[in-house]
Amino acid sequence: MRALIQRVSDASVTVDGRVTGKIGPGLLVLVCAMQGDDVQAAEKLAARVAKLRIFRDENDKMNRSLLDTGGAALVVSQFTLAADTRSGNRPGFSTAAAPEQGERLYLHFAQSLRSMGIAVETGEFGADMQVALTNSGPVTIWMDTADRA
């Protein structure tokens, strides 16, 4: 699975004029399931995101995690993280998981964060969403479960 993680002061996602998720300080996590991903990949990614030390400590060092700070997570599905831009001008998305599997893993990822005691809000899978955020820092991190054993 792939994720683009942004440390935020606040973030929200809106679908058809209706706010489906809104958080204060925490992480905006754009997530994409890839072909071959399974629930273990979703759980592995959730654990890495929850423990990622990108929040400031008392010495102003990025040394605290979402678990340490008690912050929230706004989890938004984004299949475009699977974009293949190696040839031509139009990205290909054939490496993304099929929609049914993608939705299942997206929801499992969000539930895995919740099971660690993190407050989680979500977007709406497959919808045209408007995401608003205030990136704190700015801090933006890319993760891919295929990058680590």
Side-chain angles (χ1 to χ4, degrees):
M1 290 187 74
R2 292 183 177 168
L4 186 70
I5 302 138
Q6 296 181 300
R7 186 179 74 186
V8 298
S9 301
D10 56 80
S12 65
V13 61
T14 303
V15 178
D16 294 328
R18 173 181 48 90
V19 175
T20 64
K22 183 176 182 176
I23 64 167
L27 298 177
L28 169 63
V29 185
L30 305 173
V31 66
C32 176
M34 305 296 289
Q35 286 183 11
D37 283 340
D38 55 19
V39 294
Q40 287 81 16
E43 291 166 0
K44 177 181 175 180
L45 183 61
R48 289 180 64 200
V49 167
K51 296 173 186 173
L52 185 64
R53 295 176 5 195
I54 60 173
F55 293 93
R56 289 181 180 21
D57 67 11
E58 61 280 353
N59 297 314
D60 207 30
K61 302 277 187 210
M62 288 198 312
N63 200 29
R64 299 182 76 210
S65 70
L66 194 60
L67 291 170
D68 297 328
T69 63
L74 177 59
V75 178
V76 178
S77 63
Q78 188 170 356
F79 84 95
T80 60
L81 292 177
D84 181 352
T85 59
R86 291 178 290 183
S87 66
N89 295 317
R90 184 172 182 226
F93 303 103
S94 61
T95 58
E100 308 79 37
Q101 180 187 17
E103 182 175 21
R104 183 173 57 85
L105 292 175
Y106 156 72
L107 293 172
H108 191 78
F109 172 82
Q111 185 53 44
S112 294
L113 288 175
R114 284 186 188 105
S115 72
M116 290 180 251
I118 296 169
V120 176
E121 297 280 322
T122 62
E124 188 175 303
F125 187 88
D128 181 19
M129 296 176 275
Q130 281 64 58
V131 179
L133 68 133
T134 304
N135 190 321
S136 175
V139 175
T140 302
I141 306 286
W142 170 266
M143 279 192 184
D144 191 326
T145 56
D147 291 342
R148 288 176 57 173

